[in-house]
Amino acid sequence: MLTQDGVLEIILRALHNLNDEMSDSEKFDVTPTTKLFGTDATLDSLALVSVIVDVEGDVSTALGRSISLTDDRAMSQKVSPFDDVQTLLAYIMVLVAEG
Amino acid sequence: MSASGYEGKVVLVTGSRRGVGKAIAEHFLAGGATVLGFARGAASIEHGAYHHFEVDVGVPESVVKGFAEIKKVTDSIQIVVNNAAVLTSQYSMIMPPAAAQAMLNVNLMGPFMVSREAAKMMRKTKWGRIINIGSMAASLEPIGDSMYAACKAGLSTLANVMAKEFASMNVTCNTLGINAIDSDMLSQLPRDKIDAIIASLPVPRFSQPDDILNVIDFFASERSSSITAQTVFLGGVN
């Protein structure tokens, strides 16, 4: 069973992996509240896509079934799942709970 | 034609049952690669390193399901050849919409979906080559091939945009515009029409498999890491 802590770990690992690919001047702080999307976010759009793809893949692998973070449902949420780490975590936990 | 240098590489070829796709799949197998084949029908290649998946690339769900099956065999793909295509040649005013839609689905949406899913795997290893099989029709724009030519022109644009998106992952995206090659697809077209087109080319002959494999090898090469967002036509088409 994938727990909330487990999902958080996957998200933070994806952010750390992204950080590893960046130059020193581009690196950002990885925390459970890191802003992902929006005017004050530190990730550009391609970087965010990379994180989403990595998280989607790793959560799917851990669950043993595919989840989608890029379908119409995700895109039409009242609160964007991609605002920050916490909104992404909350949205993934909804998908996990659906079984 | 012998090949080498693909040991350890995993190559996905769409439309691997026959024609150009089968020749490309066999070429990579001869070079020591593991080859994954997507096609709507059953396998036509028997080889220990060949894995066949019955996938209709024109159906996005089928592609996603195909990649789920692939992940049971391997967790990485290094090279993708988007070869699967369908062709109906007809004047636009009498082209059946279903035939036009099928071309759009298989010839353009298919490569999009396959490249999309493969890129997610290539991201893990930070290396990849995506090679689209285009057509001289994109440049010559022959009468009767409105949708086919548009799809093949779109294929180059698809590769060029993906080249930008995937560059930071060391994934290159290129297109090989082949001209006529004796195949089941070609047999659907009037031979006199094809002969007239070929006769007008700087190199007025049908393509041979090695003409195609030569450019595939070039795009797939380790040395071609700076070759991306390019379309190479055979036979002098430009």
Side-chain angles (χ1 to χ4, degrees):
Chain A
M1 179 62 186
L2 190 55
T3 64
Q4 182 159 317
D5 285 347
V7 175
L8 179 61
E9 188 182 326
I10 287 172
I11 297 170
L12 296 181
R13 185 170 65 227
L15 290 169
H16 281 299
N17 287 343
L18 179 66
N19 236 354
D20 289 344
E21 298 169 12
M22 293 185 155
S23 64
D24 287 345
S25 62
E26 295 172 319
K27 288 189 190 303
F28 56 93
D29 291 334
V30 176
T31 75
T33 58
T34 297
K35 189 82 176 153
L36 301 177
F37 183 71
T39 51
D40 51 345
T42 49
L43 278 63
D44 65 24
S45 54
L46 267 180
L48 176 60
V49 167
S50 301
V51 170
I52 292 170
V53 166
D54 287 354
V55 170
E56 186 180 71
D58 288 351
V59 171
S60 296
T61 300
L63 277 177
R65 64 179 168 87
S66 291
I67 63 150
S68 177
L69 298 177
T70 54
D71 58 11
D72 291 341
R73 180 182 173 192
M75 299 302 175
S76 61
Q77 293 291 301
K78 213 169 189 176
V79 177
S80 169
F82 311 118
D83 272 355
D84 57 35
V85 171
Q86 289 304 310
T87 56
L88 182 57
L89 175 61
Y91 184 66
I92 293 172
M93 290 313 297
V94 169
L95 301 180
V96 169
E98 288 174 349
Chain B
M1 171 70 197
S2 64
S4 61
Y6 291 114
E7 294 85 359
K9 292 280 193 293
V10 180
V11 184
L12 170 61
V13 180
T14 70
S16 57
R17 276 193 78 220
R18 56 188 183 176
V20 172
K22 186 176 182 184
I24 292 169
E26 290 175 335
H27 174 69
F28 280 112
L29 287 167
T34 296
V35 175
L36 315 169
F38 275 3
R40 284 184 288 194
S44 64
I45 297 173
E46 286 188 23
H47 191 288
Y50 179 75
H51 303 271
H52 190 77
F53 304 87
E54 290 193 20
V55 168
D56 183 348
V57 298
V59 178
E61 295 78 12
S62 180
V63 174
V64 172
K65 193 176 168 194
F67 272 86
E69 293 300 311
I70 282 176
K71 286 169 188 169
K72 295 175 184 173
V73 175
T74 178
D75 58 1
S76 69
I77 291 176
Q78 282 77 44
I79 301 168
V80 167
V81 182
N82 282 308
N83 162 75
V86 292
L87 166 64
T88 299
S89 189
Q90 188 54 273
Y91 289 106
S92 302
M93 287 190 288
I94 57 173
M95 170 77 78
Q101 186 69 56
M103 283 188 275
L104 191 58
N105 292 347
V106 174
N107 301 356
L108 198 53
M109 192 65 190
F112 169 76
M113 285 301 299
V114 170
S115 302
R116 173 188 193 264
E117 296 304 310
K120 293 177 185 177
M121 297 177 74
M122 291 172 173
R123 183 177 149 62
K124 300 277 185 192
T125 51
K126 300 284 187 291
W127 197 94
R129 301 280 186 264
I130 296 175
I131 303 165
N132 295 333
I133 301 300
S135 166
M136 64 177 179
S139 175
L140 301 179
E141 301 169 347
I143 286 173
D145 287 348
S146 55
M147 181 56 86
Y148 183 77
C151 287
K152 291 299 188 180
L155 205 50
S156 289
T157 304
L158 190 77
N160 296 349
V161 175
M162 286 182 168
K164 293 177 183 173
E165 294 185 6
F166 303 160
S168 64
M169 296 151 43
N170 295 317
V171 174
T172 65
C173 305
N174 293 290
T175 304
L176 165 58
I178 65 175
N179 58 12
I181 181 168
D182 271 320
S183 65
D184 293 343
M185 181 181 284
L186 192 73
S187 66
Q188 300 169 43
L189 301 174
R191 187 66 182 215
D192 57 342
K193 178 183 165 186
I194 296 296
D195 286 345
I197 290 172
I198 292 296
S200 70
L201 299 179
V203 181
R205 65 169 174 79
F206 280 54
S207 289
Q208 299 301 309
D210 194 49
D211 296 323
I212 295 167
L213 301 176
N214 176 42
V215 183
I216 296 272
D217 285 340
F218 170 65
F219 283 149
S221 165
E222 293 275 356
R223 296 176 68 195
S224 294
S225 60
S226 71
I227 308 297
T228 195
Q230 303 301 311
T231 298
V232 171
F233 286 106
L234 297 179
V237 175
N238 59 38

